[in-house]
Amino acid sequence: MASRTLAMARAVQELPHRSRLAWRTIDISEAGKAGQAEKALDLFDAMPVKNQIAWNTALAALIDAGRTDWAFSFFREMPKRNATSYATIIGGLSRAGATARARSLFEELPLDQHNVFTWTAMVSCHVRNGEPDRAIELFMVLYGEFFGREVLPNAHMFSSLLKACVGLHSLSMALQLHALIVKLLNEGGRDCFVWNALIDAHAKLGALSDAQKVFHEMQHRDICTWNIMMDGYARHKQVDKALDLFSMMRNKDAFSWNIIMHCLSENRRGKDALHLFVDMVRLIGHCGENVQPNTSIYTTALHICSVLALLELGIQIHARIVKDGLCKGNAFVCNSLISMYGSCGATFDLEQVFDEMTVRDIVSWNAVIQGLGQNGLGRQALVVAERALEKKMYNGNTFIAILTSCSHAGLIVEGLSFFDAMAEKHGVERTLDHYICAMDLLGRAGRLEEAYGLLRNMPFAPNAVAWSTLLHSCLAHKNSVLGSMAAQELRALQPDGGENYKRLVQSCRGSDEVVVNPFGNEKSQNHVPGCSWVT
């Protein structure tokens, strides 16, 4: 190995001077991509002659290594800078979220020295950092100036602009860009990512027919094209078309499987999604199929098992996850496992998964509290909650899980104590959901007047969920007076449910008693079944 390295070094030394410089810049670039910023600069410093390409390569190496601040200092030290230098540093600052500094550098370069790459870098910077309006504005302001100099937007520019249109929910702008793309770009080109971006933008902005037209007219499609079109069908709940597209795909990747499974799950076809998951696992290693389930696919499958309470299948998926080495150190998968076991009532397995996790986030703690609480283990849930609060691993959802757990277990004093301490002790502002949880806590205990008082005095306008929570508490404790009031408010918010609420109030007293009808003699033609968000 040493002799081979020595021979290569000798061969490089025997190359002409210009070729040796090219080899050295390649080495600098490779060091940057490997994250070795110091090595890249050592190689750069060792170069006897440094031209503009060498300086730009070293700058790019620092960016690739993630050393943005160092790259900015290096940029300022460069004896000469060109458009490539500016495009490179703007791209690096974009990844670091330093949009203002990037824009300052963009405007520092005289307009006649800009090219499509600096322009694209700045537009992309605005889009990447959540400023789609500024991206569109920059494009429109400079388009006429650059067009006169024959500096035309490229495919990368258009892809970023289409993302900006999605961010601004502007279909009209997307249609104008579509016309420009057809005019300026080679529609038969093999760089299909801009056409993929068009499909995605049209689908997300509601123009599915235009997305289909672009898809069918494309001469070259890659796996992303098929996935994006399938996702478009999924967004518009056209499940059968998404399934047809999925079946037509010759080569599927993990995203393909995840898109179709999520589509089926969202459209109440969870069992079909799980059948596909089983098919995927069976295909591994057969018929050239080498796609392995990834974190998203496992999470989707486990979520469906949670919704359908399929414990046995959930356990089998857990075994597969362990086999694939995605368990203990993967918080996303473990959180899904905790939720699945909680929904299926397997609290022992829930706690075991949590105890074995090597990486936990706030969602992990919330899932355990929620899982224990919804299965009636309120005291155990509060023990975990106290640990989470001590470790500062909490957010607003933590307190929703705590209050819900107290509500299920009848821990009124404890629940109200946590509710009172939220803002003062833990710095978490109460939301409408927290008030509704506290109302449910009081309502289940029969303290209906207190629940009603909390509803009337909370700093939010009561919504249908709040009144529904009060109504169902009144039903449980046969309080038709407050129940009628809650039903009237619900009728105002949800007119189609009027007759349904009337029946609920009548059930407070029993069929033999006369109840004042708060709804008059009207009958709803499209009443919806009454339900409560609290389970």
Side-chain angles (χ1 to χ4, degrees):
M1 184 70 181
S3 60
R4 185 183 301 173
T5 303
L6 184 62
M8 183 172 289
R10 187 179 296 115
V12 171
Q13 288 298 323
E14 292 173 358
L15 288 170
H17 176 68
R18 183 172 296 177
S19 298
R20 289 202 303 272
L21 288 177
W23 273 95
R24 186 58 60 87
T25 56
I26 292 173
D27 290 340
I28 294 170
S29 179
E30 291 298 322
K33 291 175 182 177
Q36 300 171 337
E38 291 80 3
K39 180 181 178 181
L41 280 195
D42 287 343
L43 290 169
F44 173 76
D45 290 337
M47 294 179 71
V49 178
K50 303 176 181 68
N51 58 13
Q52 189 64 52
I53 294 174
W55 281 93
N56 288 341
T57 302
L59 177 65
L62 292 174
I63 296 292
D64 290 336
R67 307 294 289 271
T68 308
D69 290 336
W70 195 355
F72 185 74
S73 299
F74 184 86
F75 174 82
R76 285 304 189 195
E77 294 171 2
M78 291 173 67
K80 186 178 179 182
R81 297 181 284 269
N82 60 11
T84 302
S85 316
Y86 278 87
T88 301
I89 191 63
I90 289 171
L93 292 170
S94 172
R95 277 180 269 175
T99 313
R101 187 185 292 183
R103 185 61 183 263
S104 177
L105 287 179
F106 179 83
E107 294 175 352
E108 173 184 296
L109 186 68
L111 198 60
D112 60 354
Q113 295 181 34
H114 278 285
N115 60 21
V116 67
F117 301 109
T118 56
W119 191 20
T120 301
M122 195 63 241
V123 167
S124 300
C125 177
H126 284 307
V127 175
R128 177 195 285 264
N129 291 283
E131 298 177 345
D133 51 337
R134 297 197 69 192
I136 295 292
E137 179 188 22
L138 183 65
F139 172 74
M140 295 176 65
V141 166
L142 295 181
Y143 179 76
E145 173 73 25
F146 285 164
F147 188 84
R149 292 172 41 212
E150 298 185 353
V151 176
L152 302 178
N154 58 18
H156 294 280
M157 165 82 78
F158 282 122
S159 296
S160 292
L161 290 170
L162 288 167
K163 290 179 183 177
C165 292
V166 173
L168 294 171
H169 307 288
S170 176
L171 177 59
S172 60
M173 178 62 70
L175 292 172
Q176 294 179 59
L177 289 172
H178 190 166
L180 266 180
I181 289 167
V182 172
K183 180 179 179 181
L184 298 178
L185 298 185
N186 178 15
E187 196 165 0
R190 291 187 176 272
D191 293 331
C192 56
F193 59 89
V194 68
W195 308 103
N196 294 345
L198 264 175
I199 296 171
D200 188 55
H202 283 312
K204 288 178 178 176
L205 294 172
L208 186 62
S209 59
D210 289 326
Q212 289 176 289
K213 185 176 181 181
V214 174
F215 176 80
H216 290 300
E217 290 181 353
M218 286 177 67
Q219 297 180 25
H220 304 285
R221 304 186 188 112
D222 59 12
I223 186 67
C224 292
T225 313
W226 292 82
N227 286 343
I228 291 169
M229 189 68 248
M230 186 165 57
D231 181 66
Y233 285 132
R235 285 177 179 276
H236 290 264
K237 299 187 180 301
Q238 297 193 16
V239 185
D240 291 335
K241 287 188 176 182
L243 280 170
D244 289 342
L245 210 61
F246 180 78
S247 63
M248 291 167 59
M249 294 175 68
R250 294 181 181 178
N251 299 308
K252 304 177 180 71
D253 61 9
F255 291 107
S256 313
W257 290 91
N258 193 51
I259 290 168
I260 196 64
M261 285 178 60
H262 186 74
C263 171
L264 291 167
S265 174
E266 288 292 302
N267 289 277
R268 299 186 178 184
R269 293 176 61 174
K271 288 187 177 180
D272 292 335
L274 290 176
H275 283 304
L276 276 180
F277 173 78
V278 173
D279 290 341
M280 178 187 186
V281 173
R282 287 174 176 168
L283 283 171
I284 294 173
H286 299 282
C287 305
E289 185 68 58
N290 293 313
V291 178
Q292 295 280 349
N294 60 13
T295 298
S296 296
I297 291 173
Y298 278 128
T299 299
T300 300
L302 288 169
H303 173 71
I304 297 170
C305 289
S306 298
V307 173
L308 301 179
L310 299 175
L311 178 59
E312 185 176 346
L313 182 57
I315 291 172
Q316 294 179 48
I317 294 173
H318 188 175
R320 180 80 200 187
I321 290 168
V322 173
K323 182 180 178 180
D324 287 351
L326 288 175
C327 204
K328 301 176 182 179
N330 192 305
F332 295 104
V333 173
C334 288
N335 294 343
S336 297
L337 280 169
I338 292 170
S339 296
M340 184 273 294
Y341 282 126
S343 297
C344 296
T347 55
F348 175 81
D349 298 291
L350 173 156
E351 291 183 284
Q352 186 173 11
V353 171
F354 182 73
D355 291 339
E356 292 178 354
M357 288 176 69
T358 57
V359 178
R360 296 170 182 157
D361 56 15
I362 293 176
V363 177
S364 312
W365 292 90
N366 292 351
V368 174
I369 298 167
Q370 184 71 36
L372 293 171
Q374 72 188 22
N375 285 286
L377 301 177
R379 295 287 180 189
Q380 289 177 237
L382 292 189
V383 170
V384 177
E386 291 289 0
R387 289 172 57 196
L389 294 174
E390 288 175 8
K391 293 177 178 292
K392 305 296 182 183
M393 297 293 287
Y394 61 85
N395 57 16
N397 290 331
T398 309
F399 287 92
I400 289 177
I402 291 171
L403 292 169
T404 303
S405 299
C406 291
S407 183
H408 284 300
L411 302 175
I412 314 303
V413 175
E414 293 85 346
L416 292 177
S417 176
F418 278 107
F419 181 74
D420 292 336
M422 279 181 60
E424 293 79 3
K425 185 176 179 180
H426 303 289
V428 176
E429 293 298 324
R430 300 186 190 99
T431 66
L432 177 59
D433 287 338
H434 294 117
Y435 277 92
I436 292 173
C437 287
M439 285 172 51
D440 181 63
L441 178 70
L442 292 166
R444 284 178 182 247
R447 296 162 63 168
L448 300 177
E449 292 293 341
E450 291 178 69
Y452 177 63
L454 190 63
L455 180 146
R456 299 300 300 177
N457 294 319
M458 64 183 182
F460 306 100
N463 62 5
V465 177
W467 286 112
S468 179
T469 301
L470 180 62
L471 174 58
H472 283 79
S473 294
C474 293
L475 288 170
H477 295 281
K478 304 296 182 181
N479 187 323
S480 60
V481 176
L482 278 180
S484 297
M485 185 185 304
Q488 284 180 312
E489 296 292 342
L490 273 172
R491 174 66 184 273
L493 292 170
Q494 297 179 336
D496 289 342
E499 280 296 308
N500 201 43
Y501 303 140
K502 173 185 172 182
R503 292 191 205 94
L504 289 172
V505 176
Q506 286 175 333
S507 69
C508 287
R509 292 189 175 183
S511 58
D512 294 333
E513 296 187 43
V514 178
V515 179
V516 177
N517 180 5
F519 309 113
N521 294 320
E522 296 182 16
K523 284 190 176 181
S524 170
Q525 298 296 320
N526 298 302
H527 72 269
V528 295
C531 61
S532 172
W533 76 297
V534 181
T535 57

